[in-house]
Amino acid sequence: MARFTAALKRIAPWAAQNADGAIALGLAIVVGVLGIMPDNIFGKDGDAVQDQLVSAATLVILALVATALLRDRARQAPLEETVTSGALAQLPVRLARLEEIEGLVTGTRQALDALQLVRVLGSRQEIAQAHADARKDATRWSFKGGTGTYLRAVTLPECVAAARKVKRHLTVRIEVIDPSNVEVCETYAHYRRSLSDVPDGTGETWTADRVRKESYATILAAFWHRQRYGLLDIGIGLSSTMTTFRWDLSTTRLIMTVEDPNRAMTALAGTFYYENCDTELRLSFEQARLVPLEMYKKVQLSDEPTVEEVQELFTRISIPLPRSYDDRDVVDIARKALRARNPYDA
């Protein structure tokens, strides 16, 4: 009895809130019971009485169901009006805000990606690999630095060889120290010696004379490669100021190195840093003293240029070699131009 009373107490609040539904449920149970009861339980006319009770109960159930539907619709009307007049009316404004947020998120993501793609390289191996990746399928190369020793030893010959292999056009822009400007050559040599007074990877120490020869060699190498590959578009600018950085910019990435052979920075094409460095190198090259590379047809250089060929070339392009240079100095320039040693070899 106690269990029945407790169950009744639990059901009573629900039945009070849903009286129409509860009555309909009760009548449905009664109708079901009447439908399965024997006909003779109601007397001689039990069949007719039973049909009348079922019909009456069915009508009451339908009425209660209709009442419940009308009540639910009446309850939902204020909610629908609130949704229609409130949330839906503000939907365009919220969508506009959502688009603004999406735009902000996209811009932030691009900025973060750009920052992530400016990466510091911390070893010779990483720097060498970055240069190798930059040379892969390169169609253009821009260099700005001191005398271009690594450019002559590795970058230029390998880029030209790769372009020749697939008959691809190659554009190269080089900016190095003006060898005829003695003051800037001495300044650069003093700077390099102040960082290290021991020979570098080439086995030589830095002097003003070496700076001049290295720059002359870069000029000679440009003419020599231009004569041997017709799809090479190469230009050289001579700078009257020195820089402590070296920029190598290819089709796919930028590599900026310093005198420390184990430190460099790289950025991929399309990033903020890459694009601004590209602009910087273009403007700097335009302001440099340009070497007339179109004169490459005037003096034919042998596979192993002779002293006379080298001297005539520099005379034709109005960058004559110093009068103090003898044949050994000219041979040294030719050697540096075509058989330069990698200064970063351990």
Side-chain angles (χ1 to χ4, degrees):
M1 184 66 180
R3 292 182 179 178
F4 177 75
T5 303
L8 187 61
K9 287 181 179 180
R10 289 196 301 269
I11 296 174
W14 175 84
Q17 293 179 357
N18 302 275
D20 47 3
I23 295 172
L25 178 60
L27 289 175
I29 294 173
V30 172
V31 171
V33 173
L34 291 175
I36 63 175
M37 291 180 66
D39 297 341
N40 57 7
I41 195 173
F42 297 101
K44 290 190 296 183
D45 298 327
D47 190 12
V49 173
Q50 187 179 19
D51 291 342
Q52 290 178 0
L53 290 174
V54 172
S55 299
T58 302
L59 291 173
V60 173
I61 292 171
L62 291 174
L64 291 172
V65 172
T67 302
L69 291 174
L70 291 173
R71 184 190 63 182
D72 291 342
R73 184 170 296 176
R75 290 176 178 175
Q76 292 176 2
L79 179 60
E80 292 177 353
E81 183 179 357
T82 301
V83 172
T84 303
S85 61
L88 291 180
Q90 296 178 2
L91 185 59
V93 177
R94 293 182 178 179
L95 289 176
R97 290 180 180 175
L98 182 60
E99 290 179 357
E100 292 179 3
I101 293 173
E102 289 179 350
L104 179 61
V105 170
T106 301
T108 303
R109 185 183 296 113
Q110 291 175 348
L112 290 174
D113 290 342
L115 289 174
Q116 290 174 351
L117 292 176
V118 178
R119 188 165 60 91
V120 174
L121 306 176
S123 69
R124 293 172 182 261
Q125 292 74 20
E126 280 191 295
I127 296 173
Q129 185 60 50
H131 276 92
D133 293 339
R135 291 191 298 269
K136 190 180 301 180
D137 300 326
T139 58
R140 72 182 183 105
W141 196 284
S142 295
F143 171 83
K144 178 181 178 181
T147 59
T149 307
Y150 182 81
L151 178 82
R152 280 179 279 113
V154 180
T155 303
L156 186 57
E158 290 198 6
C159 284
V160 171
R164 179 184 285 112
K165 185 176 181 180
V166 295
K167 299 178 177 59
R168 180 176 61 226
H169 183 268
L170 177 63
T171 300
V172 178
R173 294 293 178 264
I174 303 169
E175 184 177 346
V176 293
I177 288 174
D178 188 343
S180 62
N181 188 323
V182 178
E183 182 179 354
V184 70
C185 290
E186 290 178 345
T187 301
Y188 185 74
H190 174 74
Y191 170 73
R192 294 297 298 267
R193 285 197 309 272
S194 68
L195 298 179
S196 175
D197 58 357
V198 299
D200 59 14
T202 66
E204 300 181 67
T205 56
W206 282 97
T207 63
D209 185 59
R210 180 189 172 187
V211 174
R212 301 185 74 181
K213 288 182 178 179
E214 298 282 357
S215 286
Y216 280 126
T218 299
I219 298 171
L220 177 60
F223 277 94
W224 190 87
H225 285 288
R226 178 65 184 89
Q227 287 183 358
R228 279 155 179 76
Y229 186 51
L231 297 180
L232 174 62
D233 176 13
I234 190 168
I236 296 184
L238 304 179
S239 177
S240 59
T241 59
M242 62 155 282
T243 175
T244 60
F245 297 107
R246 288 185 293 273
W247 287 270
D248 284 278
L249 187 143
S250 76
T251 314
T252 58
R253 69 183 61 220
L254 162 77
I255 304 168
M256 191 172 72
T257 54
V258 292
E259 299 310 324
D260 186 345
N262 294 304
R263 302 287 286 178
M265 186 166 60
T266 182
L268 296 182
T271 61
F272 176 80
Y273 191 75
Y274 175 95
E275 297 299 335
N276 280 271
C277 286
D278 188 15
T279 301
E280 170 68 20
L281 294 180
R282 288 174 183 270
L283 293 177
S284 180
F285 183 82
E286 291 176 359
Q287 297 176 67
R289 174 190 175 193
L290 299 183
V291 176
L293 261 296
E294 65 276 4
M295 298 290 290
Y296 74 93
K297 294 181 180 179
K298 301 297 183 179
V299 179
Q300 188 63 37
L301 297 171
S302 306
D303 290 342
E304 295 290 336
T306 64
V307 172
E308 293 74 17
E309 291 172 347
V310 174
Q311 290 176 330
E312 183 181 358
L313 171 67
F314 283 105
T315 300
R316 287 288 189 98
I317 63 177
S318 301
I319 310 177
L321 297 175
R323 293 183 178 180
S324 60
Y325 278 14
D326 56 21
D327 289 357
R328 286 189 303 175
D329 294 312
V330 177
V331 171
D332 193 26
I333 291 173
R335 177 186 59 80
K336 290 177 179 292
L338 304 181
R339 291 190 298 277
R341 293 183 60 182
N342 185 347
Y344 300 114
D345 281 343

